[in-house]
Amino acid sequence: MILEVSQYLENYLWPHFDPAHASFEHVMSIILMVNEKFRENVAAWTCFHDRKDAFKGFLWRVLKLKEEERALNMAEKTNYLLFMINSFQSLEDELVRETILQLVSLKLWNTLSFGRLQMELCLNPELIKKWTKIKRREAKEAKKADQPIDPSEMLENKFLRNLIEEFLEILDSKVILSNQDAGEESVLNESLSGQIDDSCVLYCERFMEFLIDMLSQLPTRRFLRPLVADVAVVAKCHLSALYTHEKGRLFAQLVDLLQFYEGFEINDHSGTQLGDDDVLQAHYSRFQAFQLLAFKQVPKLRDFALSSIGSLHKRADLAKKLLVLSDVELQDLVCNKLKLISAKDPCSGRRDFLIEVLVAFFEKRQSQKDAVNALPLYPNEQIMWDESLVPSINYSGEGCLALPKLNLQFLTLHDYLLRNFNLFRLESTYEIREDIQEAVPHLHAYINNEGETAFRGWSRMAVPIKEFKITEVKQPNIGEVKPSAVTADVTFSISSYRHQIKSEWDALKEHDVLFLLSIRPSFEPLSPEEAAKSTVPERLGLQYVRGCEVIEIRDEEGTLMNDFTGRIKREEWKPPKGEIRTVRVALDTAQYHIDVTETAEKGAENVYGTFNILMRRKPKENNFKAILESIRDLMNETCVVPEWLHNIFLGYGNPSAAQWMNMPDLLEVIDFKDTFLDASHVQQSFPDYQVTFINSDGTENLHPSPPFKIRLSKKMRESSHALPGNVNSNLTVKSNNIADGEPQKEKLIVESYIPADPGPYPQDKPKQNSVRFTPTQIGAIISGIQPGLTMVVGPPGTGKTDTAVQILNVLYHNCPSQRTLIITHSNQALNDLFEKIMQRDVPARYLLRLGQGEQELATDLDFSRQGRVNAMLVRRLELLGEVSKLARSLRLPEDVGYTCETAAYFWLLHVYARWEQFLAACAQNQDKPSFVKDRFPFSEFFSDTPQPIFTGESFEMDMHAAKGCFKHLSIIFQELEECRAFELLKSTVERANYLMTKQAKIVAMTCTHAALKRRDFLQLGFKFDNLLMEESAQILEIETFIPMLLQRQEDGHARLKRCILIGDHHQLPPVVKNMAFQKYSHMDQSLFTRFVRLGVPYIELNAQGRARPSIAELYNWRYRELGDLPYVREQAIFHKANAGFSFEYQLVDVPDYKGKGESAPSPWFYQNEGEAEYIVSVYIYMRLIGYPATKISILTTYNGQKLLIRDVINKRCKPWNIEPPNKVTTVDKFQGQQNDFILLSLVRTRFVGHLRDVRRLIVAMSRARLGLYVFCRRSLFEQCYELQPTFQLLLQRPDKLALNLEECTPFTERPLEETGNIHYITGTEDIDHLVKFRLEHLRQMQYMQYYAPPANELPQAVPENIADAIPSENGNAGSALNDANEHMAVEENGGATDTVIDNRMEEDGVEAKDDMTQEGNKGEGSGEGHMATEDTQGEVQASTNDKMEDADATSTDKMEEANAMPTDKMEEANATSTDKTEEANATSTDKTEEANATLTDKMEEENSDLKDKMDEE
């Protein structure tokens, strides 16, 4: 790892590599470095692109290593194999792909046995012609060389077979050795009497991983699967000693996974998925052919040949029938007649092997669909603590796991869903396991005198069960064996809880998931030695874990609680009685069937009689079951992904096939509405075209004004702003826009039209866009409103949301009948998007926001389902009132406004009829200017308009206004027609469902809500045509896929017409809490990122409007050509310096503080006290200058440091009533947010850690608008290869914090380029002295104000906080800024000694460290670390049990369970601090402008004196 971080590969190994002369050690060293890069999850192939030819030579040298004289030891073989795994997982890299895919071409079949080759060619006749062509070419080459060539001996042909045979030899002879066979290379495990070679076991596990990877991708599977079957790898693994050995548990799981992929239900050559009927038919055909052959050629199997297939195709029955054959007959049948394996196979003489091969080939396999349906959705105790399935947080990437991987390609949609199902299930299992390990220790289980389990403690999330009984087991559905439903009643008491926790248990409702635990501790407590050796369940006394779902909850009197089905009316609701609660739960039927079968057949314990604990989880974290059900439902359906997206989704075909230029049914003419602000905006948006403006009648328009319609030209269809996702060159971008020479620009016809008058009232005027979109954003809008797949990469601050909103706006106006679904990852992003849509010309009645985050919308309107229904009903009454008013104006009875139906008749008979008569009369009197004004039939209705409607001077102008008035009327009646359904439907639920499925045109929700409610959407018949997904690079693959299928298919076709994905794959990926699922299985890969890796073209927005251009340079190198909007180059605020600082951004080198740098009180809980103290001092310095707290955010890369900084702020800012900053959080949590000033702590001093992930660096650097100050260890980060572009820029400036002490207000006229008089801060103590000096000065100013009031005022009482502050901070008065100003400080502040200060600082530091260590231990321990005495900590502990929700996106940071106590303390402190500040009206902050002015003047004088003295010194 140290070599890799030191750029050993980039700086030494690769530059000096010569394919012809490189030594074995040189090649092996490169292999090791590449493997380490993959383990660290950093780009591995980047440096090789400089010498492409040399890289091909390197790969061939790698292939030839096996043939060299020097034999590889087991560790080298394992690393060699790992390199091959990594190479085949990088097929998106053309450099790797060209060479590596030659190993799995059709030529590989040269190494098949003759019988297997004939079988494969017969099964795939389309390959015979290709095979013949290959043999002819080989014959021609042999003739040219004038010597025979054996194709099976060619390196690329025999490489994989040799690799497989080497593995089988190791598996057979080297894994398990007798004592006398132990070789020098074997690292024997002494605990197993020298029998197991761990290095060989690791090699075998890695080889299984290699074969699984190869068979799970179509390009590598096609021709390799017959070879795996020919050598009978799976059968030999099943019969190996390792398969049944206790050390071979992981190996056995991997073999089963390999067997699954070898028999996967797919046509290898066409790539089509085989249905259940296809698989069954193939099985019967194969078995009948076997019976026919047995009948003709094997007399002993005559009975077998005449039996029914149903009685034979089970494994046991088939093996029994084959017992009649002798060894020789069996070998002849398998090798010669059936040709399943070669007679030359070394195992062909083993009877058990021959039977295994035969049975495996002919047995009936369980269908994948049945296997998934038989799987319990809730995890049990066996899966939870299986390290090979659910690894601990400490997974380092060294070994392999029995987990599926998410990579570039998938075999079928079923394969895609199955892998995601398994990974999501195991990720949920990990989180549940952590919750159990946190809750159970607090219960303090013990065995009482009666020998039963009892509990001394209590837990917020777990309660002892008083009674558990199963109430109903329903008969299985037809064709199934498991019960259709199993329900049980669980009774428990909440009497021992305080009110808040009681209310949490009482809040349980239908569909909540609970867990039933069986705890049985050991009679005697485990000794430390026993505890160290025991498993977590043994330490906890945990026997069983079963999940269940709440059906209903009742109180002590049996009254139903929390019912949302309508059985209890609102007015009849009563608070729950008593403290006994009974929950009726639905158990997992699949798990119940497994448990009951075990009890009946094997005499196992009855699990359901042992439960004694009921555990709940936080509602936000407990939605896994609904999502798993949604995935399982999809696997049971015939999934129809839109045909235009299907191949790209699986990772095959032309990556640009779904681009709008390649789609049918394009919009020929686009009405851009308010997209363009003026005619010059159109010309700037299409720089490669000669823009010509015309009127609606085709004549040229010399003074065009928006809105505009544009007819797409041929050139526009042929090229777009999108580029292949795997291209990263600025040259390519330019080639799209600049042709050779300067050819004549193509004409672009733009029609300027006069929109219809919207109506005479102010509310009729449409809302207008004010954003001046860039040409790239216009390209994204054009692509988004056309059918097909649109991918938009939005770097930080480039207006992703504005672009998305405009796409929705233009789409609504161009396709008004279509419905659009908006999906985002977070509620915050969804609300931002929704609030901007409301500012566009889209009627509010067509907008709907689903999910829990709706109440956070910053709007007076309610956009939830219930809110929209109420709004429609209110609107109906308003409109009917307008109809009555219209009837009165026409001298008609007012009862026409009684219902929507009567209003509709009134429209047809009176309103529309009068309008038609009016139009007919106008057609004959166009020469009369005042005709419209005199004869308009609805003049009286419009008599209350703000301005007169008609002038009587121009027929055309008056007619235009008359049409606007009629449009106002027609909209009234159109809205009433839409309200009619709400009039007819009486129930609230029916009205809400109608609104969602019919009325709303734009429906918005989070991806989690979509997954949770999919069944409901299907049941209601929800339909949509377009899908827009914001933050799509932050959404898990499966959570992106589910929203595409929220509607039923129509006649086998998908209705989806457009899919618009907006995100940024250069920023952080989805959050996956378990490191193993992230590193090994790539579960954190989003669909957006995968499409980019596949080369799907995307549009990259290229102008940022967030940060100063100089700050943007820190991260814009990561993007193709990210520039700046004119706004950030022209606005004055971006040209002025930051007051008090010499530079707008700086890297500040933080040395060891009190002799140490980073620390880790518990694993992964990293802290750096020096950086925390430094950063808080700088924050206080900024606040004293006058920077608002809301404009400053403190970020860090680890949760441990975040909690430490919060604690330091609490201790140092609270005594002075200094408000805490806007946010103190992690970089990961702050993604998608921004602030003017960012103080960033990078924490680490020994290893770079997870900041090596460039995506995290990009997020960290792009959060600041005006000022960014990075606190870190320079010597560590400047050496990191991946971070070089950013840190080279940072290090062009001094690494000591440069302050301008002359500026004492937040406003300065100093230009950005000028640094002013620089004062360098030498370290943490230096900035601390400066801040304390200024705080003491501030205290004296406050003291003087309160004790020396103006002559006309009475003296005021000293506020409590100031009085408290005098003695506590008085000792700090003698602190000197540095040696130069010591005398001045003594004169002003009374000469207190530095000893007092040092003692105080030490105490503060120790307290902070001790507190944070305790917090870390409470929040981080894996099991025993949670043994906090919950029963003695009362309310405080109840709050600390909640896991931190600030999830660090990389799972290296284990602090998901960090306690929230510091946060609570901060909130209390903030509240107190704010109250006291308001009461005291203190001038220490910028609350009072007058006080600030006084303070500023005096501080400027003091600082001037201070500066003079420093200069003199």
Side-chain angles (χ1 to χ4, degrees), residues 134-322:
I134 288 172
K135 300 309 286 182
R136 281 179 189 160
R137 190 184 304 125
E138 288 170 355
K140 197 178 288 183
E141 289 173 1
K143 189 175 181 182
K144 185 185 288 186
D146 202 21
Q147 61 179 10
I149 296 176
D150 184 359
S152 64
E153 290 302 315
M154 293 173 67
L155 177 62
E156 63 267 33
N157 296 348
K158 69 176 182 177
F159 177 80
L160 286 174
R161 186 169 188 116
N162 288 351
L163 210 56
I164 292 172
E165 288 174 351
E166 181 185 44
F167 154 73
L168 292 172
E169 182 187 347
I170 291 170
L171 179 66
D172 186 46
S173 60
K174 294 189 178 180
V175 173
I176 298 183
L177 301 169
S178 59
N179 288 333
Q180 62 269 27
D181 292 337
E184 292 179 7
E185 295 177 3
S186 299
V187 181
L188 300 180
N189 189 327
E190 294 176 4
S191 65
L192 287 165
S193 306
Q195 292 296 310
I196 289 290
D197 187 334
D198 287 340
S199 63
C200 289
V201 172
L202 177 60
Y203 175 83
C204 293
E205 290 167 352
R206 283 293 187 191
F207 197 86
M208 286 295 100
E209 178 193 350
F210 173 64
L211 288 183
I212 290 165
D213 285 353
M214 298 287 276
L215 294 184
S216 60
Q217 293 186 123
L218 208 52
T220 52
R221 172 190 177 86
R222 276 197 179 101
F223 304 116
L224 178 64
R225 193 191 61 78
L227 176 61
V228 173
D230 189 35
V231 184
V233 174
V234 173
K236 289 173 182 173
C237 290
H238 276 146
L239 295 173
S240 68
L242 182 60
Y243 186 81
T244 52
H245 197 282
E246 61 178 346
K247 280 274 189 176
R249 178 173 172 79
L250 173 57
F251 175 74
Q253 292 171 333
L254 289 164
V255 171
D256 294 342
L257 194 55
L258 175 64
Q259 184 180 21
F260 169 78
Y261 274 110
E262 187 189 354
F264 195 85
E265 299 166 357
I266 186 176
N267 182 320
D268 291 342
H269 299 283
S270 67
T272 53
Q273 182 172 341
L274 303 177
D276 289 347
D277 292 342
D278 300 327
V279 174
L280 203 59
Q281 190 58 47
H283 165 70
Y284 286 141
S285 302
R286 191 163 57 238
F287 211 99
Q288 282 177 339
F290 179 31
Q291 284 184 312
L292 187 59
L293 180 139
F295 184 82
K296 289 180 178 179
Q297 299 184 26
V298 189
K300 285 187 178 180
L301 292 181
R302 187 67 56 87
D303 181 40
F304 164 82
L306 297 174
S307 301
S308 68
I309 294 177
S311 65
L312 294 175
H313 62 196
K314 289 185 179 176
R315 172 172 277 266
D317 299 332
L318 189 53
K320 190 176 179 182
K321 289 288 183 182
L322 296 173

Side-chain angles (χ1 to χ4, degrees), residues 530-596:
E530 290 173 330
K533 293 179 182 177
S534 62
T535 62
V536 174
E538 287 170 353
R539 290 199 294 273
L540 298 178
L542 187 65
Q543 302 296 314
Y544 305 108
V545 179
R546 296 292 181 267
C548 57
E549 183 179 311
V550 175
I551 298 173
E552 61 183 31
I553 179 170
R554 295 181 181 272
D555 64 11
E556 199 164 330
E557 296 181 356
T559 307
L560 204 58
M561 298 164 53
N562 303 339
D563 177 64
F564 299 101
T565 60
R567 285 180 287 175
I568 294 180
K569 295 179 181 176
R570 284 189 176 182
E571 56 272 15
E572 296 175 1
W573 181 87
K574 295 176 183 176
K577 299 287 179 65
E579 296 185 328
I580 302 294
R581 301 286 179 264
T582 301
V583 184
R584 176 152 295 177
V585 296
L587 301 175
D588 189 307
T589 55
Q591 184 67 59
Y592 181 81
H593 176 69
I594 293 169
D595 291 334
V596 171

